[in-house]
Amino acid sequence: MATETVSNNSLLIDADIYSSFIKEALMDELIAMQWVDWLNDFNQGAHTYRIPSIGEAVVDDYVEGEAIKFRPFDKGEFTMVIDKHKTSGHSISDIAMEDVDYATQLVSKIPSSETRAILKQVEGDIFKLQGSQTAADTNLINGEKHRYVATGTSNVIGVEDFARANLSLNKANVSSRNRIAVVDPSVEYTLSTLTNLSNVSNNPMWDGVVRDGMTSGMRFSMNVYGWDVYVSNYLDEIETETLETVDVSGFKANMFFSADGDENPFKGAWARMPRFKTWRDEDREETKYATSSRYGLSLYRPESLIVIPSNPSV
């Protein structure tokens, strides 16, 4: 008598089992938008935003018997242009909706995925504002560098770079409150493994770092010389530049700045916040989905920004 076995029931066996879930890409946190001063009085239809500025008053020596000197303020104008128009779109055919098992799940992900894609683009554009500084120049303000190469071995960032960044902002009359450093993950690794952190009793600023690790979510658990340090994968990568005789091409542009009120170095404006819409294309028997936005970003206070290119190879 023949026995039912695996070999004679191969046509009845499900060789592949498909999960009811779709694996999604891991997505890190977007953090940069919180440090942009978003203008809320931008008129619809306008393409350029202008803010007038005035300099400081001048003091002259007085000479008895002569008239006081009357001088006008130095004046300038900050200009920001709505120059970015971004879209993210998808479409799905009627046949795909009928035949693809995961079609409903796929369509449900489209609005949030498209919105995140645009916000991720905004994140990168914010960090690209490092390029508003003069390349291949230390961008001196009041005699201190606002763009300089990391001073650690092989041009990685060390704690001395945090101290120098403080000096640069202090000389530029920038408040010591709410100082933010956004660094590449390689910098977090470098700081976490510095040998001089092994004995924290001699370095109370780092107390707890070795025990607890440096990061908690996206934020360092410690404040380094007054800087709240965040990690981002979206920092701009320098294409071609020689700074302080060092070829920094391929280096990450770590950004140090004040986020204290009007001292914030970045301004932005939305002409159109991310807007999702969907419509039928009857000729093609498809449903289309699209998210679009229009915005502008600009460096508003150069004195509040420091860029430290560092070698990401650690």
Side-chain angles (χ1 to χ4, degrees):
M1 183 175 67
T3 301
E4 296 287 352
T5 65
V6 170
S7 61
N8 60 29
N9 280 280
S10 59
L11 296 178
L12 302 181
I13 296 174
D14 286 331
D16 300 303
I17 299 176
Y18 290 88
S19 168
S20 60
F21 299 99
I22 297 177
K23 178 183 177 182
E24 297 183 48
L26 295 175
M27 293 181 288
D28 49 2
E29 185 178 351
L30 302 178
I31 58 175
M33 286 181 60
Q34 64 182 306
W35 297 310
V36 175
D37 182 12
W38 293 98
L39 303 168
N40 55 19
D41 56 349
F42 199 89
N43 295 325
Q44 293 297 320
H47 295 278
T48 303
Y49 196 96
R50 302 180 186 276
I51 300 176
S53 62
I54 61 172
E56 296 182 354
V58 176
V59 174
D60 293 302
D61 290 327
Y62 175 73
V63 178
E64 185 178 8
E66 294 185 2
I68 295 175
K69 295 178 181 178
F70 295 91
R71 301 183 182 274
F73 285 104
D74 289 332
K75 300 174 182 68
E77 184 178 66
F78 165 78
T79 302
M80 184 180 65
V81 179
I82 299 294
D83 59 354
K84 295 174 173 47
H85 190 172
K86 305 297 182 180
T87 62
S88 178
H90 298 80
S91 64
I92 187 166
S93 69
D94 290 357
I95 293 177
M97 287 298 298
E98 294 161 359
D99 293 355
V100 176
D101 290 338
Y102 297 95
T104 301
Q105 289 174 267
L106 185 66
V107 169
S108 70
K109 299 293 184 183
I110 290 176
S112 59
S113 295
E114 289 183 352
T115 299
R116 177 184 165 82
I118 286 181
L119 295 181
K120 180 179 174 181
Q121 177 68 46
V122 174
E123 182 98 349
D125 287 340
I126 293 170
F127 290 131
K128 285 182 182 298
L129 290 175
Q130 68 85 17
S132 298
Q133 290 185 332
T134 302
D137 186 90
T138 56
N139 290 258
L140 291 177
I141 297 178
N142 291 347
E144 292 297 332
K145 302 174 183 178
H146 281 243
R147 189 179 186 91
Y148 57 89
V149 183
T151 58
T153 303
S154 299
N155 302 120
V156 299
I157 282 187
V159 293
E160 297 84 359
D161 294 311
F162 287 84
R164 174 161 289 280
N166 272 329
L167 174 62
S168 296
L169 289 196
N170 291 342
K171 293 286 284 185
N173 301 316
V174 176
S175 169
S176 60
R177 299 183 300 272
N178 204 10
R179 291 186 175 181
I180 303 294
V182 185
V183 301
D184 185 69
S186 60
V187 174
E188 184 270 335
Y189 171 81
T190 299
L191 295 177
S192 296
T193 56
L194 285 176
T195 56
N196 62 351
L197 298 186
S198 58
N199 184 357
V200 297
S201 62
N202 293 330
N203 197 346
M205 197 70 178
W206 294 90
D207 189 20
V209 171
V210 175
R211 182 185 67 249
D212 301 326
M214 291 200 66
T215 58
S216 175
M218 288 300 297
R219 180 175 180 173
F220 279 3
S221 61
M222 287 300 296
N223 177 289
V224 182
Y225 293 158
W227 296 93
D228 288 332
V229 186
Y230 292 75
V231 180
S232 174
N233 285 314
Y234 302 113
L235 285 171
D236 200 22
E237 182 176 297
I238 297 173
E239 293 184 4
T240 303
E241 182 178 346
T242 298
L243 180 62
E244 299 181 300
T245 72
V246 178
D247 181 4
V248 295
S249 303
F251 281 24
K252 289 294 185 176
N254 303 282
M255 300 175 76
F256 291 61
F257 54 89
S258 169
D260 192 53
D262 189 52
E263 295 182 354
N264 191 314
F266 314 120
K267 282 200 182 294
W270 293 98
R272 181 193 306 160
M273 292 285 289
R275 181 184 69 189
F276 176 77
K277 60 181 180 180
T278 179
W279 67 96
R280 286 284 300 163
D281 186 336
E282 295 294 352
D283 290 343
R284 296 178 178 273
E285 291 194 323
E286 295 176 348
T287 301
K288 299 184 181 295
Y289 307 86
T291 302
S292 63
S293 68
R294 294 176 58 227
Y295 59 93
L297 293 163
S298 188
L299 178 61
Y300 176 61
R301 286 195 178 277
E303 67 270 27
S304 293
L305 174 65
I306 295 167
V307 176
I308 306 178
S310 69
N311 187 353
S313 299
V314 293

